[in-house]
């Protein structure tokens, strides 16, 4: 004869078994495939992630502002229509959008160049991406479904193998094609309580729809991972923060006290494991593309 507590345990066990049968233990990813651009985005507070770097994006688009001795540099620019959001976030960060001097864009997709042209018009800042992706983004054939080509030009180009320099701040540019033909990844210095660390930003997150370009993304992962090793990169900064729990890592920053490790300083080993995560994403995409499935697998 079961007592009340045993009966209750049995009930919980049975319920868990049923749950196991009927659903996968992970929650569905709201950013997956067709859900990706539905536009239900979480507002994320502007967050200082390093002495010289603030996150000013949302859960979908990673966007950052970096302070140099000669003004602010924005890394990526969110999507079309997000200018007001970004201006608000720069102010929330305690900075002034009028100090914006340059916008560096990882690649020629609308959710990265956003309203860079409008920022230029209003604040006189200069806008940069690679020449290859400027051409790519202005070709109507590459506009997203229902969208328009970029429709504006750069003030200068990001040249792979060279650096973008503003005052005391340098952003190294690397060619990592596959996501787009001229996709660039960045390496720059961040400071934690004055101590410098090399940080990287992987330029293109999602797997390309074309199989041969997914292979190119895998090649780019190997190449950039090697660069990160050689440069001693210890920090990874995502341009899509849902891809690596960056929003949750920023939560940890709120309770960070002196003497405790910074959650984003992960050493080359940590950076390497994130590069392998991207490779895993592309490996899965290879299998999908071979079977004719063009969806993303976030
Ligand atoms: Zn993209």
């Amino acid at each position: 004869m079961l007592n009340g507590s045993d009966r209750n345990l049995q009930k919980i066990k049975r319920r868990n078994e049923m749950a196991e049968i009927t659903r996968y233990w992970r929650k569905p990813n709201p950013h997956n495939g067709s859900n990706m651009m539905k536009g239900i985005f979480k507002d994320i507070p502007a967050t200082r992630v390093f002495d010289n770097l603030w996150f000013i994006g949302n859960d979908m688009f990673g966007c950052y502002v970096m302070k140099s001795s000669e003004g602010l540099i924005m890394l990526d620019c969110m999507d079309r229509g997000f200018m007001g959001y970004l201006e608000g976030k720069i102010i929330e960060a305690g900075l002034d959008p009028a100090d914006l001097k340059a916008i560096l864009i990882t690649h020629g997709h609308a959710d990265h160049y956003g309203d860079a042209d409008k920022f230029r018009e209003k604040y006189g800042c200069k806008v940069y991406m690679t020449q290859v992706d400027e051409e790519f983004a202005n070709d109507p054939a590459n506009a997203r479904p229902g969208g328009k080509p970029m429709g504006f030009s750069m003030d200068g180009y990001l040249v792979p193998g060279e650096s973008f320099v503003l005052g005391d701040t340098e952003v190294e540019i690397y060619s990592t094609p596959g996501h787009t033909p001229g996709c660039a990844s960045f390496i720059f210095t961040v400071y934690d309580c004055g101590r410098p660390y090399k940080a990287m930003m992987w330029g293109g997150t999602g797997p390309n729809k074309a199989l041969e370009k997914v292979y190119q993304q895998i090649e780019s992962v190997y190449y950039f991972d090697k660069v990160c090793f050689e440069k001693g990169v210890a920090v990874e900064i995502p341009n899509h923060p849902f891809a690596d729990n960056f929003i949750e890592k920023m939560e940890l920053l709120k309770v960070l006290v002196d003497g405790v490790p910074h959650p984003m300083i992960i050493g080359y080993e940590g950076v390497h494991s994130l590069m392998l995560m991207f490779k895993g994403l592309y490996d899965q995409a290879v299998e999908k593309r071979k079977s004719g499935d063009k969806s993303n697998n976030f």
Side-chain angles (χ1 to χ4, degrees), residues 11-28:
K11 235 192 263 175
I12 292 167
K13 208 172 150 227
R14 179 75 187 133
R15 199 175 59 209
N16 287 349
E17 278 168 9
M18 288 308 292
E20 199 64 30
I21 293 162
T22 53
R23 85 182 148 79
Y24 187 54
W25 63 278
R26 281 179 177 229
K27 293 185 190 71

Side-chain angles (χ1 to χ4, degrees), residues 43-171:
D43 181 292
I44 305 292
T47 304
R48 191 172 198 167
V49 287
F50 285 97
D51 299 356
N52 59 334
L53 191 78
W54 286 258
F55 177 88
I56 53 168
N58 62 10
D59 58 329
M60 177 69 203
F61 313 113
C63 181
Y64 304 84
V65 70
M66 184 153 54
K67 200 172 185 177
S68 85
S69 59
E70 287 185 12
L72 302 176
I73 303 167
M74 191 148 74
L75 303 176
D76 274 353
C77 202
M78 298 185 77
D79 210 333
R80 284 297 212 193
F82 277 86
M83 183 177 180
Y85 180 93
L86 281 173
E87 285 175 304
K89 291 291 153 187
I90 294 172
I91 293 164
E92 201 180 296
L95 303 167
D96 185 349
D99 291 335
L100 211 53
K101 293 289 182 288
I103 302 176
L104 311 191
I105 301 160
T106 52
H107 66 278
H109 281 153
D111 58 322
H112 297 268
Y113 60 73
D115 287 335
D117 54 336
K118 299 194 173 85
F119 271 100
R120 172 167 63 192
E121 225 168 86
K122 188 164 173 184
Y123 298 109
C125 58
K126 295 198 161 125
V127 180
Y128 303 84
M129 73 166 73
T130 63
Q131 188 170 9
V132 173
D133 261 23
E134 182 195 57
E135 278 168 32
F136 170 85
N138 278 323
D139 180 346
N142 300 320
R144 65 184 169 203
K148 292 181 190 155
M150 181 167 69
F152 60 91
S153 303
M154 298 300 114
D155 297 290
Y157 296 120
L158 300 179
V159 181
E162 294 185 6
S163 291
F164 171 86
V165 179
L166 182 69
D168 60 356
T169 300
E170 188 180 340
V171 179

Side-chain angles (χ1 to χ4, degrees), residues 106-112 179-180 183 203-206 239-240:
T106 52
H107 66 278
H109 281 153
D111 58 322
H112 297 268
H179 182 79
T180 60
C183 181
T205 303
N239 68 1
H240 284 292

